[in-house]
Amino acid sequence: MGEEKKEKKRKHHHQSKDKEKKRSKSLHTLDSLDVKFDSSVTPVLATFPGVSVPEDTKFQAYSGPKGHYVIHGETERMEYDGQNDPDEDLYYVGVYDPATRTVELMHTPVMTTTRTIKAYKKKAIAAVKQANVQNRVQRNALGEAFGTKKAKRVISDLERNKIEAEKLETYADSIVDNIKTATENLPSADALREQQSEERPIPPCDEGADDLNNVYPLYDLVSKEELVAIRVGAIFREKDEKKRAALLPFKNSEYINSRVARINNENEMQRLKLLYYASLLMGLYNNRRTSNKRTLLQKLNHPAEILVNGLIQKFTDSKVGKVGREKDASFTITPKMEDKLLCYLFVTCLRIDEYSVETPLLAAELSLRPTRVQDLFKALGCKIRPCTSAQKEALGLTNAEAANYKLATLSLPFSLPELARRRRTAQSRR
C-alpha cells in the first residue's frame, strides 16, 4: 500500500512538471510593442455577411484621400466590392515577429462588401436602355397625336436624322478612311501659328526681346534708306511753330505739331525723323481714298519719292487699270491694309512717346472710335490702362475726364494676344 501511494505521488509530480513546461512554451515574453498609424503596407479587414467567397478569389485594394479604401474582386460569375468608413475605422491588427519577439499594431480599415451577379448586371443595363427607348417612343407618340405643328416637325426631323449604330458597323472602316483622307492635308499647329503671324496687321516683332527698343525693330518699321531720305534740317532750323508744321507731310495734327515744337536739341534729330514719318503715315491715312501716286505726292507736301514708293508698297494693293500704266500709278487701300497702316503709325507713336501713348488724342485726330484704337494697340501687345494721378494733373483732366482717358503702354515681358476668330464688322471700323 505504501509503495502504491509513493508511485501515485511520483506520477502526479511528473504530470505537474509537464504541464508547467507546456504552459511556459505557450507563453512568450515580448521585448517591445510598436503601434504604427502610417505604414507602407496596410492590412485590410473585409466582412462578407451571408456570402461564401471562394478561397482562390483575388482582391485588389485601392487607397484614396482622407483614409478611404476600396477593394474589388471577382470570379467568373460574381463581383465583390467593398469600402470603408474612415470615421468607424477603430481596429488594429497585431503582427507578431517571433525572431525579434515584437508585436506591431497596425491601424486597419474594415471593409463592408457587397456582391453583384455579372449576368444580372448586364441584364439591368439592357433593361435601362430598353426603358429609355420605350419612353422616347411613347413621348413621340403623344407628340404626334396631341402636339403642335412645330412639335410634330421636330419629332419628324429627329426620326429622319436618327443614326442607328448597328447599321454603321459595316461602314466603320470606310468612314475612318474618309476621315483620314479629309484630314491628311490639314496644316500642323506650327504652320497655323506661322499663318496667324502673317495675318496680323502689325510690323515684324521679337517676342523674346529683353529691351523695348528691340520689340519692334526700327528698321523693320522704316528702312535705313527711308530714314536717310527723311530730311529734317529745315524743320529743325525753323523757329516758328506754324512754319515748322507747314514743312511736314500732314500739317493738321496737334499730336505731331506739339511734339515737333518741343524739339530744340540736335540730339533729338532721330526723334524728329520719326515724327516726320508719323506725319507721313497720318497723311496717307487721311488721304486713303487717293488712288494714284502723283496726287498722293502733292497731298503729302512732296516728300522724297522713295518714301512714297515705300508707302505704296507696304500699305496698298495695286488696282487693275489701263494697259501700259505704271504698276504703282493706281492703287487702293483695303480695310486690311488700313489696319496695317494704323498699326505702323501706332508703333511709331510708341517709340516717340517712350512706349506710353494717349489713345483719346489719336482717336480724335483720326476720327476713329476709342475702342477701335484700343483694340489695335492691344493687337500690338500693349496694355490699356487709366492715367495715374500725376498724369491726370499734368494733362489738366478732371476726375470724370480721367476715368475715360486711357493710355496704351508697351512693357516687358512682351507677348502678343491670341488672334480673334470673328471678323470685324464694317461698323466697328468707323
Side-chain angles (χ1 to χ4, degrees):
M1 291 290 293
E3 292 180 359
E4 289 179 0
K5 288 183 179 180
K6 288 180 180 180
E7 186 66 26
K8 287 181 178 180
K9 286 182 180 180
R10 195 181 299 115
K11 288 182 178 179
H12 180 71
H13 180 68
H14 284 301
Q15 288 174 355
S16 299
K17 282 187 175 182
D18 291 339
K19 288 181 179 178
E20 287 178 4
K21 287 181 180 179
K22 289 179 179 179
R23 190 180 297 112
S24 65
K25 286 182 179 179
S26 64
L27 298 175
H28 295 276
T29 303
L30 300 178
D31 289 345
S32 65
L33 179 65
D34 187 14
V35 180
K36 287 192 174 182
F37 292 95
D38 295 317
S39 175
S40 59
V41 178
T42 303
V44 174
L45 291 176
T47 61
F48 300 88
V51 178
S52 178
V53 182
E55 293 183 0
D56 60 348
T57 305
K58 294 182 180 180
F59 285 85
Q60 294 289 334
Y62 305 93
S63 61
K66 299 181 180 180
H68 286 275
Y69 291 87
V70 174
I71 61 170
H72 175 79
E74 59 182 80
T75 63
E76 187 177 348
R77 295 178 57 251
M78 307 291 289
E79 286 185 0
Y80 304 93
D81 294 285
Q83 60 182 359
N84 70 317
D85 184 354
D87 297 332
E88 300 295 331
D89 284 345
L90 305 176
Y91 293 86
Y92 292 83
V93 169
V95 181
Y96 173 68
D97 186 357
T100 59
R101 294 193 300 177
T102 60
V103 171
E104 291 184 1
L105 293 182
M106 295 185 175
H107 184 254
T108 306
V110 179
M111 304 288 181
T112 302
T113 60
T114 58
R115 64 173 180 174
T116 305
I117 302 172
K118 290 183 176 180
Y120 178 76
K121 185 177 179 180
K122 293 180 180 178
K123 288 181 180 178
I125 294 173
V128 170
K129 289 184 177 179
Q130 187 62 29
N132 289 337
V133 172
Q134 291 175 353
N135 289 339
R136 187 171 66 251
V137 170
Q138 292 173 355
R139 187 170 60 251
N140 289 348
L142 286 172
E144 290 174 354
F146 303 103
T148 61
K149 289 183 179 179
K150 183 177 179 180
K152 291 178 180 179
R153 186 169 61 252
V154 170
I155 293 170
S156 177
D157 291 342
L158 288 173
E159 287 296 323
R160 187 168 54 253
N161 296 325
K162 184 173 64 175
I163 298 174
E164 297 182 12
E166 295 80 3
K167 293 182 178 179
L168 289 178
E169 289 180 357
T170 55
Y171 303 104
D173 292 338
S174 60
I175 291 173
V176 171
D177 291 340
N178 288 337
I179 292 174
K180 288 181 179 179
T181 303
T183 58
E184 63 183 4
N185 294 324
L186 288 177
S188 63
D190 292 337
L192 283 174
R193 279 193 292 270
E194 185 177 350
Q195 182 182 355
Q196 287 180 347
S197 178
E198 292 174 356
E199 289 177 355
R200 294 179 189 271
I202 65 175
C205 63
D206 180 6
E207 292 194 59
D210 54 3
D211 185 340
L212 282 175
N213 288 323
N214 297 330
V215 172
Y216 289 100
L218 176 61
Y219 295 130
D220 287 330
L221 188 66
V222 50
S223 68
K224 291 182 181 180
E225 294 77 13
E226 288 172 325
L227 274 178
V228 171
I230 296 175
R231 308 286 184 177
V232 293
I235 299 174
F236 179 76
R237 290 189 296 271
E238 180 60 60
K239 302 303 179 184
D240 185 79
E241 292 184 10
K242 290 185 178 179
K243 291 181 178 179
R244 269 192 173 188
L247 296 172
L248 294 170
F250 184 66
K251 310 176 186 63
N252 302 322
S253 170
E254 181 185 347
Y255 174 85
I256 301 291
N257 296 342
S258 62
R259 284 156 178 76
V260 169
R262 292 197 293 266
I263 291 180
N264 52 20
N265 192 319
E266 288 187 359
N267 294 331
E268 297 180 285
M269 295 299 281
Q270 181 85 332
R271 187 163 182 260
L272 184 55
K273 286 191 173 190
L274 286 176
L275 283 165
Y276 185 95
Y277 190 69
S279 177
L280 199 65
L281 295 175
M282 199 171 285
L284 177 61
Y285 180 79
N286 279 274
N287 293 284
R288 59 190 179 278
R289 301 292 177 258
T290 302
S291 60
N292 65 80
K293 179 179 172 181
R294 184 177 300 176
T295 304
L296 185 62
L297 276 166
Q298 293 173 352
K299 291 191 174 182
L300 294 181
N301 201 14
H302 297 282
E305 192 168 356
I306 186 176
L307 298 175
V308 176
N309 289 339
L311 296 180
I312 293 172
Q313 182 180 358
K314 280 188 282 193
F315 306 117
T316 69
D317 290 328
S318 58
K319 185 188 280 187
V320 178
K322 296 179 181 178
V323 178
R325 296 185 64 179
E326 296 180 11
K327 181 182 177 182
D328 57 355
S330 183
F331 51 80
T332 182
I333 298 178
T334 62
K336 183 178 179 180
M337 287 298 181
E338 193 176 302
D339 283 349
K340 183 180 179 181
L341 171 60
L342 289 171
C343 284
Y344 272 69
L345 170 61
F346 292 164
V347 171
T348 307
C349 294
L350 284 167
R351 276 187 165 270
I352 292 168
D353 289 348
E354 297 180 350
Y355 302 102
S356 183
V357 177
E358 303 167 38
T359 60
L361 186 57
L362 288 176
E365 290 202 355
L366 297 169
S367 300
L368 294 171
R369 294 195 310 171
T371 52
R372 188 186 173 197
V373 174
Q374 292 172 19
D375 287 343
L376 289 173
F377 271 108
K378 288 178 183 178
L380 292 167
C382 294
K383 302 291 189 298
I384 306 301
R385 299 189 174 104
C387 60
T388 62
S389 300
Q391 290 168 333
K392 183 188 76 171
E393 293 178 4
L395 295 169
L397 301 175
T398 64
N399 290 334
E401 290 171 337
N404 296 318
Y405 205 86
K406 304 295 183 182
L407 299 176
T409 305
L410 190 68
S411 58
L412 296 175
F414 172 75
S415 63
L416 290 173
E418 292 292 329
L419 280 177
R421 294 291 181 185
R422 60 184 176 81
R423 294 179 178 273
R424 186 184 288 116
T425 61
Q427 184 179 359
S428 66
R429 293 183 172 273
R430 299 189 187 119

